[in-house]
Amino acid sequence: MKCNKGLCLMLGMVIMLSMGSSNLYAQVRERLLMNFDWKFAYGHAGDVARDFNVGTRYFTYLAKAGYADGAAAPEFDDRSWRPLDLPHDWAVEQGFAPHASHSHGYKTVGPGFPENSVGWYRKNFSLPAEDEGKRIFLEFDGIYRDARVWVNGFYCGNEPSGYASFAFDVTEYLNFGGENVIAVRADASMEEGWFYEGAGIYRHVWLTKVAPLHVPQYGTFVTSSVGEKQAALTARVEVQNKALEVAEFELVNVVLDPGGQEVARKSAGSFRMAPMERRTFIDSLDVADPLLWDLEQPHLYTMESHLLQNGATVDIYRTTFGIRTIEWTADKGFFLNGRHVKIKGTNNHQNHAGVGTAIPDALHEWRLKQLKAMGNNAYRTAHYPPTPALLEAADRVGMLILNENRLMGTTDQIMDYLGRLMVRDRNHPSVVLWSIGNEEWSIETNDRGARMAEIMQAYARRFDTTRPLNAAVSGSWGGGISSVIEVMGYNYLRHGDTDVHHERFPWQPSLGTEEGSTNTTRGIYFDDAERQYLAAYDRDTPTGFFAIQHGWKHYASRDYLAGMVIWTGFDYRGESTPFTYPSVLSYFGMFDLCGFPKDNVYYLKSWWSREDVLHILPHWNWPGREGEGIDVWVYSNMDEVELFLNNKSLGRKTMELNSHLSWEVPYKAGTLKAVGYKAGQRKMTRVVETTGAARQVHLRADRTEIKADRRDVAVVTVALKDRKGRTVPDANVLVDFDISGPASIIGVGNGDPTSHEPDRFIPSYLRVEPAAWKEAPAGGLDVAAAVRPDYDDKSWGAAFPEEGLAPGSQAEATVFRGRFALTREQLEGEITWMFRSIGTGQSVYLNGHLLAEGLSDEQKRHTFSLPAEHLSVGSNTLVIVAHPYVKNHVWDEPNVNPGELQVVLPAGQWQRRTFNGLAQVLVQSTGAPGEVVLTGKAEHLQDFQLKLVAQ
Ligand code: GAL
């Protein structure tokens, strides 16, 4: 075929555009997950020397670009640090102490624990030479907290917030075709919240590679207006020209339906942008017969924004979005796609058993699914921007998100966090409400609060007008923030009268942003103040918080109230109200910290879900209480329920809407049976039986297959069963876990609020610094004697004098002697000397045994694994015979540190007690495919082997 140049160019363009865009996408844009193979070590919040001397050098990183020192320097020797993968929460690995923070669950991090409050992370990575010319961004989804970041010794900046996502364009700092180092310092000394917040890089890290002309991160905003048979999309696409030349380009937006089929394509036009210019282009596209994003069928569309230069695609940016309508009304509540949806929600913190805040993506999804199965349709991200992974899961699962800002404030710097949250999250169809703040006690009731709310709302409208703004207010409703906020959030009915407020502010949509705050312990049915357990019956609290049923009846019976959001879906660490230490978890959850349902879940499921529910509480193992009246409750959405004890009817009762039934039953071992009737017909039966003693460990995973991707997780329930296979509801037994195959255990839990058992069993990485180095010239010494540990070196001077060897001087052979001490426990570990050359022609000895000789200075680092048979408890001696480096210029800094020892103590046995019959094990792929076997063992009980497949 013959064609002129223009036509050929056009054809080429068409071909490139239609050649499976996923192929093309991979060619123009890469987003690499940077979670694997980091190094970690504790720094120090109050002692620079123990914080790797960062910022101590003459001319440091704030003085000159690329001048990082200590652990921030690229050449820093991190070989003795602990290797790990992200996400990571070091607080969850700490123990507990009574004087530690109540808010943070008494973990030994924060004020009073400077040695546990700073964490350093380093990662090496190489970049291919072909990446030269691309722009490269380092993106953090969130670090707790006050993060400082360096790349190859260049200081990139800091992010004080423990919840904000942030990114740096690090292109100029990188070595293309070479090695690169990221260093991150996180300082968790301060608390941002009054709840457990974790510590460290507890969310994902990414490296994004794009062309100089590209759509920046979060650079798009797709909105839709939904008509009869089509949706009109508005695409706002920001383009950035980071080239040094003017860029001429065409922007083409392509819409893919949930199946990946192209359903719309349009050129937004051809444009010219100056170097460093950033501009937003607005275009409209139509989608015929759109599949709406909804709770049951959360259809997701993708918009691809293609940038073309001279006919070639230079960037494709993908935006996942949903087509749906939302409406918040003052008198009828909330509407999704024109359909009334009562908000049935829970508040939740990012916190789970075993892993703390470092929740893998699969676990986020699992948690949302537990909530969803309860009939929960909304999730308030109390009280901070969530991790993007949670929103992606909510988009997929079909969950409404009430997305909350952390701190209220009206300075540019503080308000900017709200703007960044909105820009980051505004394409998620799951997000239906923005919250500017929660219970801001000093301002919520007064005029200052009202003014601040107005300013924040006006500011927020710059970023999104498709969702309204909310604040959660805990009192003095009618004044302050509550008088101006677009969607009123009531925190707790005990604080006021929603009817009165609604009458005064009839224009204002509203919902219960918090209700509940009741305190229960899973599997406990008698309060036990001494052991700090509270019965799982749904009750008003002595401090005036309403029972879940009490609160729900209020919210369910008023149309103007959009719904109720319970405090909380899951228990979390910290806030162990009404107790203090030794209790370390909250008691507010409908589910415990592991996601095991407490009985309230069945109350909610009865009235929130469409499933038939019939649930009896308590369990029926009450030896010693024979004849005693026990409160038996039934949660159900049947019309009537009849209860039987050992086949004797205790009466048939009619269920009232949004209520429960109860009987007082004199205890006698045997069977409690509930029979549920609908429209007079027997519909379902449930039994609770007195079980026998625990006989076997039983393991069950949420699924039998996980992806072999080093990320995917199976959630394993450990249950103790009796001879008949019934879970024993009061069995508290220590279970050991072993795993083989390509997976590892990443955490264990049991939901017991007073348990101080470890969540993680990991090797300890200790660093032992040889000290008291002395030196003497080798000439005139009996070197063979001087390398022995018992040699008397009292008369020797301190090694490595400040001034070093003068320029031009001869480096005489010198003997250096240093010492380190080991405890008996440390001697059990693996001990490695991370040796660093201090000169040329080095021979190296441990307690008189030669480790190596003739080491040149060319390879400056050597690793010596120190054999246990040559080590002793107490003092050990290291000797180096070498020609030390000469200091040729005053600014020369020859190495005078022969390196430290790494002592690795093996991880303890993975284990956990069951709490009221249950425990949990989180199993994560280690990357390879294969069969995984998890074994659970307990004394006197039958073992269990669970098989999973990683592929
Ligand atoms: C609320 C607060 C929540 C939680 C709860 C406990 O006042 O907003 O974060 O602390 O009390 O009852």
Side-chain angles (χ1 to χ4, degrees):
M1 183 176 75
K2 265 189 153 181
C3 59
N4 65 34
K5 207 175 155 204
L7 182 62
C8 272
L9 251 179
M10 262 175 60
L11 276 176
M13 205 174 90
V14 171
I15 289 166
M16 290 201 71
L17 270 177
S18 53
M19 67 174 263
S21 52
S22 63
N23 224 337
L24 190 54
Y25 177 82
Q27 283 170 34
V28 295
R29 180 178 269 271
E30 270 182 277
R31 191 162 193 245
L32 306 174
L33 185 68
M34 298 290 276
N35 281 10
F36 305 136
D37 301 320
W38 286 75
K39 287 295 195 79
F40 172 79
Y42 285 106
H44 200 280
D47 180 346
V48 179
R50 290 168 71 186
D51 204 27
F52 304 107
N53 289 309
V54 176
T56 59
R57 185 166 78 181
Y58 186 40
F59 291 103
T60 182
Y61 66 91
L62 292 177
K64 300 282 176 191
Y67 263 48
D69 55 351
E75 64 278 4
F76 178 81
D77 185 0
D78 60 17
R79 285 174 299 160
S80 60
W81 291 17
R82 167 183 161 197
L84 53 71
D85 286 352
L86 306 179
H88 174 235
D89 170 7
W90 82 68
V92 82
E93 297 169 353
Q94 286 290 329
F96 304 91
H99 58 291
S101 161
H102 172 76
S103 301
H104 279 201
Y106 298 99
K107 284 284 185 182
T108 50
V109 177
F113 305 95
E115 69 286 5
N116 298 336
S117 297
V118 169
W120 278 91
Y121 295 84
R122 289 173 52 94
K123 180 180 166 62
N124 285 60
F125 65 101
S126 56
L127 271 183
E130 307 82 74
D131 280 348
E132 180 122 41
K134 295 179 186 164
R135 300 307 305 182
I136 304 199
F137 295 84
L138 182 59
E139 300 162 358
F140 296 90
D141 285 350
I143 298 178
Y144 195 85
R145 75 173 293 283
D146 202 4
R148 279 186 245 166
V149 179
W150 295 263
V151 169
N152 293 335
F154 287 88
Y155 177 57
C156 301
N158 77 317
E159 176 50 74
S161 165
Y163 300 105
S165 299
F166 60 101
F168 301 109
D169 180 341
V170 294
T171 314
E172 276 66 35
Y173 302 160
L174 294 171
N175 300 318
F176 294 92
E179 279 301 300
N180 297 276
V181 191
I182 305 168
V184 177
R185 180 187 192 270
D187 185 345
S189 302
M190 276 275 297
E191 299 184 348
E192 288 184 56
W194 52 97
F195 35 81
Y196 179 85
E197 302 178 277
I201 311 183
Y202 70 107
R203 296 179 178 177
H204 299 317
V205 180
W206 307 90
L207 196 74
T208 292
K209 306 177 184 178
V210 288
L213 182 80
H214 60 267
V215 177
Q217 190 188 24
Y218 312 130
T220 60
F221 186 23
V222 185
T223 54
S224 51
S225 116
V226 184
E228 263 295 282
K229 287 217 143 302
Q230 71 162 34
L233 306 184
T234 302
R236 289 173 184 77
V237 181
E238 195 179 11
V239 178
Q240 180 167 38
N241 178 20
K242 278 217 159 180
L244 298 178
E245 306 82 40
V246 167
E248 295 191 2
F249 65 94
E250 186 187 5
L251 165 63
V252 178
N253 288 314
V254 179
V255 177
L256 309 177
D257 72 8
Q261 291 302 309
E262 183 176 318
V263 288
R265 167 186 295 269
K266 196 170 159 217
S267 171
S270 292
F271 309 97
R272 240 178 103 86
M273 270 172 54
M276 299 298 150
E277 199 184 332
R278 234 176 133 127
R279 213 192 301 167
T280 301
F281 303 93
I282 303 178
D283 202 14
S284 54
L285 293 100
D286 291 332
V287 172
D289 302 317
L291 294 163
L292 301 185
W293 184 90
D294 212 315
L295 295 172
E296 294 320 314
Q297 287 182 307
H299 295 297
L300 292 171
Y301 282 77
T302 306
M303 185 177 79
E304 289 190 345
S305 303
H306 296 240
L307 300 180
L308 296 108
Q309 283 188 295
N310 299 321
T313 304
V314 296
D315 190 25
I316 300 176
Y317 185 89
R318 285 192 176 149
T319 308
T320 304
F321 68 99
I323 300 175
R324 52 117 179 93
T325 65
I326 59 165
E327 200 188 348
W328 291 86
T329 71
D331 53 350
K332 290 268 174 281
F334 175 76
F335 291 80
L336 177 65
N337 298 325
R339 180 171 52 86
H340 178 252
V341 173
K342 191 86 176 180
I343 303 276
K344 301 163 180 167
T346 50
N347 286 275
N348 292 289
H349 283 303
Q350 177 166 342
N351 196 342
H352 193 87
V355 291
T357 56
I359 298 186
D361 293 1
L363 189 55
H364 278 300
E365 185 157 333
W366 183 88
R367 284 164 57 93
L368 289 181
K369 285 179 174 162
Q370 306 312 301
L371 294 172
K372 191 151 174 138
M374 176 174 82
N376 178 114
N377 60 21
Y379 181 114
R380 178 166 172 249
T381 67
H383 300 295
Y384 41 81
T387 184
L390 177 88
L391 298 181
E392 285 155 20
D395 287 348
R396 285 193 304 270
V397 165
M399 180 72 73
L400 305 173
I401 296 287
L402 318 177
N403 198 338
E404 188 154 284
N405 176 47
R406 183 59 293 284
L407 185 68
M408 273 188 78
T410 44
T411 63
D412 285 352
Q413 202 175 52
I414 293 185
M415 220 157 38
D416 185 47
Y417 282 114
L418 174 62
R420 283 163 59 186
L421 164 70
M422 295 176 71
V423 168
R424 191 193 70 169
D425 294 346
R426 61 190 174 178
N427 286 309
H428 289 282
S430 54
V431 176
V432 294
L433 189 67
W434 305 111
S435 165
I436 59 171
N438 173 70
E439 294 196 1
E440 288 286 1
W441 296 332
S442 82
I443 54 169
E444 64 181 355
T445 60
N446 55 34
D447 289 349
R448 190 200 303 270
R451 284 199 303 275
M452 285 174 64
E454 280 178 318
I455 293 287
M456 290 182 84
Q457 289 187 137
Y459 176 78
R461 286 183 204 112
R462 273 175 50 188
F463 307 102
D464 184 16
T465 51
T466 71
R467 304 158 174 102
L469 294 137
N470 159 251
V473 185
S474 65
S476 296
W477 300 338
I481 295 173
S482 76
S483 64
V484 299
I485 193 73
E486 286 179 357
V487 174
M488 170 61 186
Y490 299 108
N491 270 20
Y492 303 105
L493 295 169
R494 71 196 271 255
H495 292 312
D497 188 332
T498 64
D499 294 341
V500 170
H501 184 85
H502 177 58
E503 221 170 273
R504 275 192 62 196
F505 300 89
W507 53 267
Q508 194 179 44
S510 59
L511 79 162
T513 30
E514 285 182 35
E515 199 51 52
S517 272
T518 55
N519 312 120
T520 57
T521 310
R522 175 181 58 75
I524 295 290
Y525 298 95
F526 291 92
D527 290 341
D528 186 339
E530 202 177 314
R531 285 160 73 215
Q532 305 197 334
Y533 296 143
L534 291 170
Y537 295 101
D538 181 32
R539 300 170 293 184
D540 290 349
T541 74
T543 46
F545 287 99
F546 288 17
I548 303 303
Q549 172 177 310
H550 188 169
W552 177 240
K553 281 190 168 177
H554 180 92
Y555 281 96
S557 60
R558 287 160 175 81
D559 285 348
Y560 73 87
L561 291 167
M564 172 171 105
V565 189
I566 291 172
W567 193 267
T568 49
F570 299 96
D571 284 343
Y572 51 94
R573 293 175 177 79
E575 281 208 294
S576 50
T577 323
F579 302 114
T580 56
Y581 190 88
S583 184
V584 295
L585 307 184
S586 79
Y587 293 72
F588 302 122
M590 302 297 98
F591 295 87
D592 73 10
L593 188 70
C594 296
F596 293 131
K598 302 185 196 172
D599 298 282
N600 277 342
V601 165
Y602 301 96
Y603 168 75
L604 291 166
K605 196 171 180 175
S606 302
W607 307 113
W608 281 12
S609 85
R610 292 205 200 100
E611 273 178 54
D612 290 337
V613 177
L614 186 57
H615 174 80
I616 306 172
L617 65 150
H619 61 71
W620 210 237
N621 282 19
W622 300 110
R625 291 188 186 267
E626 283 74 12
E628 198 177 309
I630 306 250
D631 268 341
V632 175
W633 288 21
V634 169
Y635 289 134
S636 180
N637 45 19
M638 299 288 112
D639 300 340
E640 291 166 285
V641 178
E642 184 166 9
L643 189 73
F644 299 84
L645 174 64
N646 297 331
N647 285 325
K648 193 166 157 261
S649 175
L650 302 172
R652 181 158 158 173
K653 299 193 180 184
T654 303
M655 181 67 79
E656 185 195 310
L657 183 70
N658 295 323
S659 202
H660 72 277
L661 295 173
S662 64
W663 288 259
E664 204 197 56
V665 183
Y667 179 66
K668 185 160 191 260
T671 304
L672 271 181
K673 180 170 77 180
V675 178
Y677 296 85
K678 260 214 167 141
Q681 298 295 308
R682 193 183 167 117
K683 185 92 192 273
M684 62 195 305
T685 304
R686 284 283 176 275
V687 293
V688 168
E689 292 172 304
T690 308
T691 73
R695 285 279 178 271
Q696 45 180 320
V697 176
H698 183 266
L699 307 176
R700 187 174 44 82
D702 65 322
R703 60 225 155 95
T704 48
E705 243 172 56
I706 53 172
K707 280 188 224 116
D709 63 357
R710 205 164 159 179
R711 298 177 64 189
D712 204 5
V713 168
V715 180
V716 178
T717 299
V718 183
L720 294 190
K721 304 271 182 178
D722 71 358
R723 213 187 292 280
K724 289 191 177 166
R726 298 172 298 198
T727 299
V728 182
D730 51 356
N732 298 324
V733 168
L734 185 65
V735 184
D736 282 355
F737 305 105
D738 291 301
I739 193 159
S740 65
S744 62
I745 301 175
I746 56 165
V748 289
N750 62 13
D752 178 353
T754 64
S755 167
H756 289 188
E757 294 166 279
D759 287 278
R760 310 198 65 201
F761 294 84
I762 48 173
S764 305
Y765 288 80
L766 313 176
R767 300 193 317 271
V768 176
E769 185 105 37
W773 284 98
K774 291 181 155 189
E775 67 175 57
L781 278 186
D782 175 358
V783 175
V787 302
R788 285 205 292 268
D790 52 359
Y791 185 82
D792 181 2
D793 59 13
K794 263 197 224 84
S795 61
W796 292 20
F800 314 117
E802 268 289 290
E803 63 282 4
L805 282 181
S809 55
Q810 255 327 96
E812 300 287 351
T814 306
V815 182
F816 299 87
R817 289 172 56 90
R819 281 198 182 83
F820 63 93
L822 290 178
T823 64
R824 188 166 301 282
E825 191 206 4
Q826 287 167 347
L827 202 54
E828 300 287 305
E830 257 178 56
I831 305 182
T832 311
W833 184 8
M834 305 300 182
F835 174 75
R836 295 207 282 276
S837 289
I838 53 156
T840 59
Q842 306 161 102
S843 299
V844 182
Y845 301 82
L846 163 68
N847 291 333
H849 301 275
L850 182 68
L851 293 173
E853 60 186 331
L855 297 177
S856 75
D857 63 335
E858 275 151 35
Q859 209 217 311
K860 292 208 157 93
R861 290 176 186 182
H862 301 268
T863 303
F864 300 117
S865 157
L866 304 186
E869 66 267 26
H870 294 159
L871 289 165
S872 351
V873 176
S875 178
N876 292 271
T877 305
L878 293 173
V879 176
I880 307 162
V881 183
H883 297 271
Y885 295 121
V886 176
K887 197 164 170 166
N888 282 318
H889 308 98
V890 268
W891 56 84
D892 279 355
E893 292 179 354
N895 180 45
V896 293
N897 180 348
E900 59 191 4
L901 309 182
Q902 179 194 56
V903 180
V904 185
L905 303 177
Q909 169 69 48
W910 280 96
Q911 55 182 206
R912 190 74 173 196
R913 288 183 77 77
T914 54
F915 178 59
N916 295 330
L918 302 176
Q920 185 172 70
V921 181
L922 302 173
V923 171
Q924 186 170 51
S925 149
T926 47
E931 191 186 59
V932 176
V933 181
L934 178 70
T935 310
K937 283 187 200 154
E939 242 183 279
H940 311 303
L941 302 188
Q942 203 178 313
D943 303 354
F944 195 93
Q945 286 206 332
L946 174 76
K947 292 205 169 99
L948 303 172
V949 177
Q951 59 186 18

